[in-house]
Amino acid sequence: AIASFRKGRWSAVMGLRGEYTKALGKGSDVSQEYFSLFPNANFSYALDKQGKHSLVAQYSRSISRPSFWNLTPTRTQISDYTYQTGNALLDPSYNNRISLTGVFAYKYSITLAAAIQTDAIQQMVVADENDTRMLNLTYVNLPKLNNYTASVYLPFAVTKWWDWNTNITGLISKQRITEDSEFEVNKVAQWNSDMTFKLPK
């Protein structure tokens, strides 16, 4: 379902999607069945009559489904001390993302965003249940994985034949391994830049 409206400097598009998933392996080792709803919304407001400057707020919910490779519990020995198995009890992972973007002069932008992920699917090494001397490389659902970002996009026309685009992003990642553990915090900064040169003819 999709609905949209426009009034004055405001405009919006809202939607709701439903998905039913049923996953069955050839044997009885993998069996999953669930229904999920995915709302999304996009609101924009023009700061001037021409729409040269604007604010855009967005929300969306998405899903990452575990693959059969993640789910199958078949044990595969990959070294003298390590097995690899899937986890038939894995849940799908859901990601809620919200962002606010300011657009200036139709092209420059700054974005603040938060992505809240529940049941993130990660590979983890745990002690083997049958033999404590062995390690089991398997897949688990992490309780929380939160990412907070701020990014700036700056396109420049240096000359008629030289265009330069640059993007700067800062990221704070907060991850909780178990329900009782503290958040692990990681900080990352990225800078991407590209240039285009128009040659004669």
Side-chain angles (χ1 to χ4, degrees):
I2 299 175
S4 63
F5 77 87
R6 181 184 296 272
K7 185 177 182 180
R9 297 185 182 183
W10 286 95
S11 64
V13 178
M14 294 167 287
L16 180 64
R17 186 179 80 257
E19 290 187 6
Y20 167 74
T21 300
K22 186 171 185 177
L24 295 173
K26 279 191 172 182
S28 59
D29 55 345
V30 174
S31 177
Q32 290 204 332
E33 187 174 1
Y34 47 88
F35 177 78
S36 307
L37 288 173
F38 300 94
N40 65 84
N42 184 307
F43 297 93
S44 62
Y45 177 74
L47 298 174
D48 61 319
K49 291 182 179 180
Q50 294 77 24
K52 190 175 182 180
H53 314 294
S54 62
L55 293 175
V56 180
Q58 295 178 308
Y59 167 77
S60 64
R61 184 175 191 247
S62 60
I63 187 173
S64 295
R65 298 175 182 81
S67 67
F68 280 105
W69 176 256
N70 300 145
L71 292 168
T72 181
T74 302
R75 291 164 60 93
T76 303
Q77 189 165 0
I78 58 177
S79 76
D80 290 341
Y81 301 100
T82 308
Y83 286 98
Q84 182 168 339
T85 65
N87 181 358
L89 301 178
L90 277 180
D91 292 321
S93 175
Y94 295 94
N95 193 20
N96 292 278
R97 188 177 190 277
I98 186 170
S99 66
L100 178 64
T101 301
V103 180
F104 308 98
Y106 295 120
K107 54 184 180 178
Y108 306 106
S109 69
I110 180 171
T111 300
L112 302 176
I116 310 301
Q117 190 172 6
T118 57
D119 292 324
I121 299 171
Q122 297 284 345
Q123 203 169 34
M124 184 177 290
V125 177
V126 298
D128 188 78
E129 293 180 356
N130 303 318
D131 187 348
T132 55
R133 297 172 301 174
M134 300 294 292
L135 297 176
N136 182 15
L137 186 61
T138 187
Y139 296 89
V140 298
N141 288 117
L142 299 185
K144 285 287 184 181
L145 178 58
N146 302 342
N147 289 323
Y148 306 95
T149 58
S151 61
V152 179
Y153 177 67
L154 302 171
F156 298 106
V158 183
T159 68
K160 291 182 179 180
W161 47 269
W162 180 6
D163 292 324
W164 180 17
N165 299 324
T166 189
N167 187 76
I168 303 169
T169 301
L171 166 69
I172 298 176
S173 177
K174 298 178 67 178
Q175 180 174 283
R176 177 175 283 167
I177 303 298
T178 66
E179 291 289 354
D180 301 327
S181 65
E182 297 291 331
F183 274 108
E184 294 183 4
V185 180
N186 295 292
K187 300 176 182 179
V188 179
Q190 293 181 328
W191 175 47
N192 297 312
S193 189
D194 64 82
M195 298 183 185
T196 303
F197 301 95
K198 299 183 180 74
L199 302 179
K201 298 185 179 181

